[in-house]
Amino acid sequence: MVRVKRWKKSRDEYMDSHLMELQRFLPSLTIPLEEETSGTPTSTLTSQTGTTLYSRRFVLLEETGVTRPSDDRISRLESQILAVSRILTREIQNLNRRIVDMEDALGDITGLRTDIKRRANREEALTLLVERLKSIALPNPEVRVLKTGPRELRARVVIDDTEKYFDYLKAVADVVGELYRKYDLEMEVMLFQRSELLGFEEDIEKTIKL
Amino acid sequence: MSQNLIQRHVEQSQHNEDFLQKILAHFPNYTDWIITITFYIAVHRVQAALLKDYNLYPDRHEHPNMRRSRNKLVQILYPAYWPSYYILYHESRKARYVPNYHKRTKIKAIHELIINALKLFKKLP
């Protein structure tokens, strides 16, 4: 009970002091007369006198003794505020969408890195490449694996010359895409028709017939 | 700064496309350079998109570190663009290193690929 009284007293004191402060503050504020503001348009949030719209919301018209802005002007201001709030809402929605996209991408990257730690094996990647290439009906294919370091996989997929070269290349693109997703290796897998490699000398580690 | 860089990549892509249109109109037998220019149109669009969408700026086509590998980032972040991007990357490499690529590969064989790639990569960034 005592506590309530104390609280009430302190609250009243706070209100009184706040009111006194407000009364001292009010005369320093002005609202532009309607005639002053009805000509040229002013910015949305600042009047010609420099008093912000935000602060003017707190001005008591009776105490300042100035003319109340017309309904038309208030209506215009409300429309402008509504337009600004719509823009802000849209921008916030866009920002939220971007955050979600970036979080998804970050999840992919983090997920891939975890995956990579388990699959940084060149031989394993080569095995998968051969396995996937076998599922494509390539004409007389072989894989020439070039000599590289343990973090690299360079392979030449060699096929007979064919009119369907670009069709086969699309299929190889899918296979290479899977390797990129799964392995932390510097990779270069290229499709060649046999006649393209005539006279082409490279340091081959091994050749795998499919 | 990054907005400026994005714009510069888009402009470079447009510049390359202007050149491509001239070559297609007047020198269609230069398929080695036609495919190479198309690839670099795609590269600049991808570079702009990666910067805009993910704040990533890879400096290599291929690298074990995924953040530095443009190929891996395209595969993972823009999978719909991957087949077209890979074929352009692949063929532009062959065009530069395999002798007589332009004699083997006629414009008829790559025309559709070029037109589709132009439409596709213009959507980026």
PDB file of all heavy atoms in Angstrom, chain A residues 163-177:
ATOM      1  N   GLU A 163      28.109 -35.597 -85.409  1.00  0.00           N
ATOM      2  CA  GLU A 163      27.251 -34.437 -85.673  1.00  0.00           C
ATOM      3  C   GLU A 163      26.542 -33.969 -84.403  1.00  0.00           C
ATOM      4  O   GLU A 163      26.088 -32.840 -84.316  1.00  0.00           O
ATOM      5  CB  GLU A 163      26.173 -34.805 -86.710  1.00  0.00           C
ATOM      6  CG  GLU A 163      26.695 -35.113 -88.101  1.00  0.00           C
ATOM      7  CD  GLU A 163      27.108 -33.861 -88.853  1.00  0.00           C
ATOM      8  OE1 GLU A 163      26.338 -32.895 -88.821  1.00  0.00           O
ATOM      9  OE2 GLU A 163      28.199 -33.852 -89.457  1.00  0.00           O
ATOM     10  N   LYS A 164      26.456 -34.898 -83.444  1.00  0.00           N
ATOM     11  CA  LYS A 164      25.715 -34.586 -82.211  1.00  0.00           C
ATOM     12  C   LYS A 164      26.626 -34.046 -81.108  1.00  0.00           C
ATOM     13  O   LYS A 164      26.300 -34.138 -79.917  1.00  0.00           O
ATOM     14  CB  LYS A 164      25.019 -35.850 -81.688  1.00  0.00           C
ATOM     15  CG  LYS A 164      23.915 -36.356 -82.584  1.00  0.00           C
ATOM     16  CD  LYS A 164      23.301 -37.591 -81.944  1.00  0.00           C
ATOM     17  CE  LYS A 164      22.153 -38.114 -82.758  1.00  0.00           C
ATOM     18  NZ  LYS A 164      21.631 -39.371 -82.198  1.00  0.00           N
ATOM     19  N   TYR A 165      27.748 -33.498 -81.487  1.00  0.00           N
ATOM     20  CA  TYR A 165      28.737 -33.043 -80.505  1.00  0.00           C
ATOM     21  C   TYR A 165      28.116 -32.139 -79.430  1.00  0.00           C
ATOM     22  O   TYR A 165      28.327 -32.340 -78.228  1.00  0.00           O
ATOM     23  CB  TYR A 165      29.868 -32.311 -81.232  1.00  0.00           C
ATOM     24  CG  TYR A 165      30.780 -31.550 -80.309  1.00  0.00           C
ATOM     25  CD1 TYR A 165      31.747 -32.208 -79.552  1.00  0.00           C
ATOM     26  CD2 TYR A 165      30.666 -30.164 -80.166  1.00  0.00           C
ATOM     27  CE1 TYR A 165      32.585 -31.511 -78.685  1.00  0.00           C
ATOM     28  CE2 TYR A 165      31.495 -29.467 -79.312  1.00  0.00           C
ATOM     29  CZ  TYR A 165      32.442 -30.134 -78.578  1.00  0.00           C
ATOM     30  OH  TYR A 165      33.253 -29.441 -77.718  1.00  0.00           O
ATOM     31  N   PHE A 166      27.329 -31.147 -79.840  1.00  0.00           N
ATOM     32  CA  PHE A 166      26.774 -30.202 -78.858  1.00  0.00           C
ATOM     33  C   PHE A 166      25.722 -30.855 -77.952  1.00  0.00           C
ATOM     34  O   PHE A 166      25.553 -30.435 -76.805  1.00  0.00           O
ATOM     35  CB  PHE A 166      26.214 -28.950 -79.549  1.00  0.00           C
ATOM     36  CG  PHE A 166      27.298 -27.986 -79.948  1.00  0.00           C
ATOM     37  CD1 PHE A 166      27.737 -27.903 -81.261  1.00  0.00           C
ATOM     38  CD2 PHE A 166      27.920 -27.179 -78.998  1.00  0.00           C
ATOM     39  CE1 PHE A 166      28.756 -27.025 -81.628  1.00  0.00           C
ATOM     40  CE2 PHE A 166      28.935 -26.305 -79.347  1.00  0.00           C
ATOM     41  CZ  PHE A 166      29.365 -26.228 -80.666  1.00  0.00           C
ATOM     42  N   ASP A 167      25.041 -31.854 -78.461  1.00  0.00           N
ATOM     43  CA  ASP A 167      24.104 -32.601 -77.603  1.00  0.00           C
ATOM     44  C   ASP A 167      24.877 -33.337 -76.504  1.00  0.00           C
ATOM     45  O   ASP A 167      24.475 -33.339 -75.337  1.00  0.00           O
ATOM     46  CB  ASP A 167      23.290 -33.607 -78.426  1.00  0.00           C
ATOM     47  CG  ASP A 167      22.365 -32.906 -79.408  1.00  0.00           C
ATOM     48  OD1 ASP A 167      21.961 -31.779 -79.099  1.00  0.00           O
ATOM     49  OD2 ASP A 167      22.076 -33.483 -80.468  1.00  0.00           O
ATOM     50  N   TYR A 168      25.985 -33.972 -76.899  1.00  0.00           N
ATOM     51  CA  TYR A 168      26.806 -34.676 -75.913  1.00  0.00           C
ATOM     52  C   TYR A 168      27.432 -33.684 -74.912  1.00  0.00           C
ATOM     53  O   TYR A 168      27.552 -33.972 -73.725  1.00  0.00           O
ATOM     54  CB  TYR A 168      27.903 -35.478 -76.605  1.00  0.00           C
ATOM     55  CG  TYR A 168      27.390 -36.653 -77.401  1.00  0.00           C
ATOM     56  CD1 TYR A 168      27.744 -36.836 -78.738  1.00  0.00           C
ATOM     57  CD2 TYR A 168      26.545 -37.601 -76.809  1.00  0.00           C
ATOM     58  CE1 TYR A 168      27.264 -37.918 -79.457  1.00  0.00           C
ATOM     59  CE2 TYR A 168      26.055 -38.680 -77.529  1.00  0.00           C
ATOM     60  CZ  TYR A 168      26.415 -38.839 -78.853  1.00  0.00           C
ATOM     61  OH  TYR A 168      25.925 -39.907 -79.564  1.00  0.00           O
ATOM     62  N   LEU A 169      27.789 -32.518 -75.430  1.00  0.00           N
ATOM     63  CA  LEU A 169      28.412 -31.516 -74.544  1.00  0.00           C
ATOM     64  C   LEU A 169      27.435 -31.063 -73.449  1.00  0.00           C
ATOM     65  O   LEU A 169      27.823 -30.854 -72.301  1.00  0.00           O
ATOM     66  CB  LEU A 169      28.891 -30.317 -75.379  1.00  0.00           C
ATOM     67  CG  LEU A 169      29.665 -29.244 -74.633  1.00  0.00           C
ATOM     68  CD1 LEU A 169      30.874 -29.816 -73.907  1.00  0.00           C
ATOM     69  CD2 LEU A 169      30.113 -28.134 -75.584  1.00  0.00           C
ATOM     70  N   LYS A 170      26.148 -30.955 -73.820  1.00  0.00           N
ATOM     71  CA  LYS A 170      25.137 -30.589 -72.804  1.00  0.00           C
ATOM     72  C   LYS A 170      25.069 -31.644 -71.707  1.00  0.00           C
ATOM     73  O   LYS A 170      24.948 -31.320 -70.511  1.00  0.00           O
ATOM     74  CB  LYS A 170      23.750 -30.454 -73.464  1.00  0.00           C
ATOM     75  CG  LYS A 170      23.549 -29.136 -74.170  1.00  0.00           C
ATOM     76  CD  LYS A 170      22.179 -29.093 -74.836  1.00  0.00           C
ATOM     77  CE  LYS A 170      22.144 -27.950 -75.843  1.00  0.00           C
ATOM     78  NZ  LYS A 170      21.006 -28.049 -76.755  1.00  0.00           N
ATOM     79  N   ALA A 171      25.147 -32.908 -72.114  1.00  0.00           N
ATOM     80  CA  ALA A 171      25.111 -33.996 -71.121  1.00  0.00           C
ATOM     81  C   ALA A 171      26.355 -33.955 -70.231  1.00  0.00           C
ATOM     82  O   ALA A 171      26.265 -34.154 -69.012  1.00  0.00           O
ATOM     83  CB  ALA A 171      25.005 -35.335 -71.834  1.00  0.00           C
ATOM     84  N   VAL A 172      27.504 -33.655 -70.836  1.00  0.00           N
ATOM     85  CA  VAL A 172      28.747 -33.556 -70.056  1.00  0.00           C
ATOM     86  C   VAL A 172      28.659 -32.369 -69.081  1.00  0.00           C
ATOM     87  O   VAL A 172      29.174 -32.441 -67.952  1.00  0.00           O
ATOM     88  CB  VAL A 172      29.971 -33.419 -70.997  1.00  0.00           C
ATOM     89  CG1 VAL A 172      31.237 -33.090 -70.217  1.00  0.00           C
ATOM     90  CG2 VAL A 172      30.169 -34.710 -71.776  1.00  0.00           C
ATOM     91  N   ALA A 173      27.983 -31.296 -69.494  1.00  0.00           N
ATOM     92  CA  ALA A 173      27.815 -30.126 -68.610  1.00  0.00           C
ATOM     93  C   ALA A 173      27.123 -30.528 -67.309  1.00  0.00           C
ATOM     94  O   ALA A 173      27.490 -30.059 -66.219  1.00  0.00           O
ATOM     95  CB  ALA A 173      27.012 -29.035 -69.314  1.00  0.00           C
ATOM     96  N   ASP A 174      26.131 -31.399 -67.395  1.00  0.00           N
ATOM     97  CA  ASP A 174      25.434 -31.866 -66.185  1.00  0.00           C
ATOM     98  C   ASP A 174      26.380 -32.652 -65.273  1.00  0.00           C
ATOM     99  O   ASP A 174      26.361 -32.493 -64.047  1.00  0.00           O
ATOM    100  CB  ASP A 174      24.239 -32.752 -66.561  1.00  0.00           C
ATOM    101  CG  ASP A 174      23.143 -31.959 -67.243  1.00  0.00           C
ATOM    102  OD1 ASP A 174      23.122 -30.723 -67.056  1.00  0.00           O
ATOM    103  OD2 ASP A 174      22.324 -32.550 -67.958  1.00  0.00           O
ATOM    104  N   VAL A 175      27.208 -33.497 -65.895  1.00  0.00           N
ATOM    105  CA  VAL A 175      28.154 -34.308 -65.112  1.00  0.00           C
ATOM    106  C   VAL A 175      29.175 -33.406 -64.414  1.00  0.00           C
ATOM    107  O   VAL A 175      29.441 -33.553 -63.212  1.00  0.00           O
ATOM    108  CB  VAL A 175      28.882 -35.317 -66.040  1.00  0.00           C
ATOM    109  CG1 VAL A 175      29.966 -36.057 -65.264  1.00  0.00           C
ATOM    110  CG2 VAL A 175      27.895 -36.296 -66.644  1.00  0.00           C
ATOM    111  N   VAL A 176      29.711 -32.459 -65.163  1.00  0.00           N
ATOM    112  CA  VAL A 176      30.705 -31.542 -64.591  1.00  0.00           C
ATOM    113  C   VAL A 176      30.071 -30.701 -63.477  1.00  0.00           C
ATOM    114  O   VAL A 176      30.696 -30.432 -62.449  1.00  0.00           O
ATOM    115  CB  VAL A 176      31.316 -30.641 -65.693  1.00  0.00           C
ATOM    116  CG1 VAL A 176      32.274 -29.621 -65.100  1.00  0.00           C
ATOM    117  CG2 VAL A 176      32.047 -31.495 -66.712  1.00  0.00           C
ATOM    118  N   GLY A 177      28.813 -30.320 -63.693  1.00  0.00           N
ATOM    119  CA  GLY A 177      28.106 -29.558 -62.663  1.00  0.00           C
ATOM    120  C   GLY A 177      28.043 -30.325 -61.350  1.00  0.00           C
ATOM    121  O   GLY A 177      28.259 -29.751 -60.272  1.00  0.00           O
TER     122      GLY A 177
END
